[in-house]
Amino acid sequence: GQQVMQIPQYQHVQEGEDFTTYCNSSTTLSNIQWYKQRPGGHPVFLIQLVKSGEVKKQKRLTFQFGEAKKNSSLHITATQTTDVGTYFCAGRAGGYNKLIFGAGTRLAVHP
Amino acid sequence: EAQVTQNPRYLITVTGKKLTVTCSQNMNHEYMSWYRQDPGLGLRQIYYSMNVEVTDKGDVPEGYKVSRKEKRNFPLILESPSPNQTSLYFCASTAGSTDTQYFGPGTRLTVL
């Protein structure tokens, strides 16, 4: 079945350093979404990418969707302590029904 | 305020005692889902519903039931809970126009 692999599982950075998490799918995706979950909280939708090679920015966050629509990345420039949490990608392969989540990357930011 | 609510937020129960976790959304969304979250496994979809009276299995449906009699409510039913269903459960509803998924606050279930 469809799988979405996400790496790294955990990343520990100093405040001000950059951070990147990567997602790879075993199948071509129709779109990919990214979520952030703060400790003790619920996932919060960040963005959706649909087009091959798409790049979107939200302030210090840059999201990319690969040309083959099988991989994606989230890059945070100059991390802040407010960036702490777990970032999940979620891919949809054809149809509207199933959204497959990656296992998440837990980001710790030390001041 | 647009939101997804779940109840209860925390539940400790014993094996075999039927329970229901309620989920309600006030955004008039057609699509709703239930997920379970376990360490290292991310979020796995249990069931989803594309509209009233339309439900389908996700990736891990065994041991769960759902119903969708009204658009706003999507309860999750565990007829005979077992310890392997101890988990954090999230309900979510999706805005069809933007595909944005809104999650509820979660229900932490422990089955002894």
Side-chain angles (χ1 to χ4, degrees):
Chain A
Q2 181 196 355
Q3 291 187 7
V4 174
M5 308 300 292
Q6 190 172 354
I7 58 168
Q9 196 172 358
Y10 177 74
Q11 181 112 34
H12 166 185
V13 300
Q14 290 294 127
E15 191 172 22
E17 291 182 338
D18 291 357
F19 159 76
T20 305
T21 173
Y22 301 89
C23 274
N24 284 288
S25 169
S26 56
T27 58
T28 302
L29 302 170
S30 57
N31 60 56
I32 193 158
Q33 299 179 349
W34 285 92
Y35 293 79
K36 177 184 178 180
Q37 185 177 22
R38 294 183 186 275
H42 59 274
V44 174
F45 177 88
L46 294 177
I47 208 161
Q48 175 169 275
L49 305 172
V50 179
K51 299 176 185 174
S52 168
E54 190 169 14
V55 178
K56 287 188 176 179
K57 294 194 175 190
Q58 290 179 350
K59 297 181 181 178
R60 294 177 294 103
L61 277 61
T62 302
F63 305 84
Q64 292 190 343
F65 200 10
E67 295 288 342
K69 300 182 76 172
K70 295 179 78 170
N71 61 293
S72 181
S73 65
L74 158 60
H75 180 82
I76 302 178
T77 303
T79 54
Q80 300 174 358
T81 54
T82 53
D83 295 325
V84 163
T86 301
Y87 293 84
F88 293 96
C89 62
R92 201 185 303 280
Y96 185 67
N97 42 16
K98 279 193 178 180
L99 194 62
I100 307 296
F101 278 78
T105 296
R106 187 154 67 96
L107 173 64
V109 180
H110 288 255
Chain B
E1 180 193 352
Q3 60 181 353
V4 179
T5 57
Q6 293 179 229
N7 282 291
R9 295 289 314 279
Y10 303 90
L11 180 61
I12 300 175
T13 189
V14 295
T15 299
K17 186 176 180 184
K18 180 179 178 179
L19 66 93
T20 299
V21 184
T22 64
C23 172
S24 184
Q25 50 98 0
N26 63 0
M27 296 169 278
N28 202 37
H29 292 163
E30 292 181 348
Y31 187 89
M32 298 183 73
S33 293
W34 274 103
Y35 295 89
R36 61 177 289 173
Q37 184 174 31
D38 302 289
L41 296 177
L43 290 124
R44 294 179 292 168
Q45 192 178 47
I46 302 170
Y47 267 95
Y48 63 94
S49 170
M50 297 187 73
N51 213 327
V52 175
E53 302 293 359
V54 181
T55 63
D56 208 348
K57 297 176 180 179
D59 289 317
V60 288
E62 293 76 22
Y64 305 95
K65 283 174 57 177
V66 293
S67 70
R68 189 91 182 274
K69 293 184 172 57
E70 311 162 275
K71 190 182 256 190
R72 65 183 292 124
N73 296 322
F74 190 42
L76 179 69
I77 303 151
L78 284 72
E79 294 269 5
S80 182
S82 62
N84 64 12
Q85 292 178 297
T86 293
S87 187
L88 178 58
Y89 291 87
F90 288 103
C91 179
S93 73
T94 302
S97 56
T98 62
D99 214 15
T100 301
Q101 191 162 209
Y102 297 86
F103 282 82
T107 296
R108 187 166 291 281
L109 172 66
T110 301
V111 183
L112 302 174

